[in-house]
Every structure is written in C-alpha cells, then in structure tokens.
Amino acid sequence: MIKRNLLVMGLAVLLSACGFQLRGTGTNDLAIKELDVSARNAYGDTVIQLRQVLENSGVHVYTGATYKLFLADERETQRNLSYASAGRASDIELSTELSFQIQGRDHLPLMGDKIQVQKVVSHDGNNLVGSDSEIVQVRKEMRRELVQRMILRLQLLTPVQLEALQQAADNKAKADADALKAAKEYEDNTPKQSPVEVPVE
C-alpha cells in the first residue's frame, strides 16, 4: 500500500514537472496579466464565471485594459440521438457553442474562434422532473468545461504574440484607410459628365 502511494506521488510530481495539471487543482498560469472581459450577454453565467477564474489566476480584469476578450455569442442546442420505446430512455445530445473575439487597441479585432462542448444524456419519459434536473446539472458542467477551455486558449497567448497581432491589425486598418482615401480622391478628381440633353422636336 505504501509503495503504491509513493508511486502515485512520484507520478504526480513527474507530471507536474512536465507542466501537466490535474483538472480543478492549482491555478492556471497565463502570460496575459490584464484583460478586459465583456460579453453580448453582459450578465450571463459564462462571462461571470470566466472573470472569476481569470482573477483567481492572477489576471487583472478591468474595463479599459489594452486587450479585450469579447464573448460574441453563446448558443445552447439539443437534438435526439435515439427515440424511446416503451419503458426505455432516449439519448439526447446537448451542445453549447461559444464564439469569441480578442480585440486590441481601437477595438481592432486581432483573432476570433469558436469553442464547442457536447454531452449525451438519457432522457426518461417516465421521469420528466428527474431527467430535466439532470439536463440542468449537465448544462452547468458544460459551462464549467467551456470556461476551462477558454482559459486553455488564453494560456497559449503571450504579450509578444498579441503585440504582433496588433501590429498586423494596425497595418491592415491603415491600408484600408489609405485605399478608401485614394478612392475618394479619385472620385473627387474625376470630371463629372454633364447630362445628355435630348433635343426637343
């Protein structure tokens, strides 16, 4: 028994040294130390939980930070995978999809992506209350997983990468503005044709 415990402890130390972290333990290390976090659904559970996890991970979350994480859309869907026969439960696939965008200075979009979480639950037509309660609980677990995956995405970003994305966005915005200005100058300097007069007979 002691040998097995030592083996488990040894593996845990080895894995942590490699950067592995058990789900729900410790803190998430993020290179980004400050972030503005907002959502289309400003008072939704997802954005509230995400702010809490970021703050617990040492990120200063406040309005006005240089970089902004915007949760653009969150959609929950469900579909039947099987239909119940007499005395049997049906399988339902629950899905949550989160679209997000990271913005930089002047609200320029730097990058965007989607995160999706899916779970399959059994729905018992003979126990609707119990089945509905289970779906609510599974949805909460899915939201926690969604937040965790969002944190994992943010862990991949560094200030250097964000600054490179910002520079690319600045260059694109300047090129677009220059092209628009050139098009307007061309239009302004192009002689306008006089309307053709049709002779009256």
Side-chain angles (χ1 to χ4, degrees), residues 34-126:
E34 55 181 40
L35 195 63
D36 184 348
V37 180
S38 64
R40 192 176 300 279
N41 181 7
Y43 302 100
D45 292 333
T46 302
V47 69
I48 291 172
Q49 287 184 24
L50 183 57
R51 285 196 189 102
Q52 290 173 345
V53 173
L54 284 169
E55 287 170 352
N56 291 339
S57 301
V59 178
H60 184 198
V61 179
Y62 69 100
T63 302
T66 303
Y67 298 107
K68 178 178 180 179
L69 172 62
F70 177 58
L71 307 184
D73 190 29
E74 183 178 350
R75 296 185 181 184
E76 294 184 346
T77 58
Q78 71 177 51
R79 67 187 182 99
N80 290 324
L81 295 179
S82 64
Y83 292 92
S85 57
R88 296 186 60 185
S90 60
D91 289 332
I92 296 176
E93 181 187 73
L94 303 178
S95 179
T96 304
E97 185 178 84
L98 177 67
S99 301
F100 68 91
Q101 186 180 75
I102 293 180
Q103 302 171 351
R105 291 183 293 272
D106 301 323
H107 295 282
L108 290 175
L110 306 185
M111 63 172 291
D113 204 350
K114 294 179 180 179
I115 299 174
Q116 188 177 46
V117 176
Q118 294 177 323
K119 300 283 184 185
V120 176
V121 298
S122 293
H123 191 270
D124 187 355
N126 297 322

Side-chain angles (χ1 to χ4, degrees), residues 76-192:
E76 294 184 346
T77 58
Q78 71 177 51
R79 67 187 182 99
N80 290 324
L81 295 179
S82 64
Y83 292 92
S85 57
R88 296 186 60 185
S90 60
D91 289 332
I92 296 176
E93 181 187 73
L94 303 178
S95 179
T96 304
E97 185 178 84
L98 177 67
S99 301
F100 68 91
Q101 186 180 75
I102 293 180
Q103 302 171 351
R105 291 183 293 272
D106 301 323
H107 295 282
L108 290 175
L110 306 185
M111 63 172 291
D113 204 350
K114 294 179 180 179
I115 299 174
Q116 188 177 46
V117 176
Q118 294 177 323
K119 300 283 184 185
V120 176
V121 298
S122 293
H123 191 270
D124 187 355
N126 297 322
N127 183 15
L128 293 177
V129 175
S131 293
D132 290 344
S133 297
E134 183 184 1
I135 288 177
V136 170
Q137 185 59 38
V138 171
R139 285 288 187 193
K140 289 181 180 179
E141 294 173 2
M142 291 172 67
R143 185 174 296 111
R144 285 194 291 269
E145 185 173 339
L146 201 67
V147 169
Q148 190 64 30
R149 290 191 184 187
M150 187 72 253
I151 295 296
L152 290 173
R153 291 290 185 93
L154 293 174
Q155 281 182 312
L156 299 175
L157 293 174
T158 66
V160 173
Q161 289 172 321
L162 287 173
E163 187 55 42
L165 290 170
Q166 179 71 63
Q167 188 62 50
D170 289 342
N171 292 340
K172 182 179 184 304
K174 184 178 184 304
D176 290 345
D178 290 345
L180 187 64
K181 181 181 177 183
K184 189 176 186 310
E185 288 178 352
Y186 176 80
E187 183 181 351
D188 291 342
N189 295 328
T190 301
K192 302 293 188 293

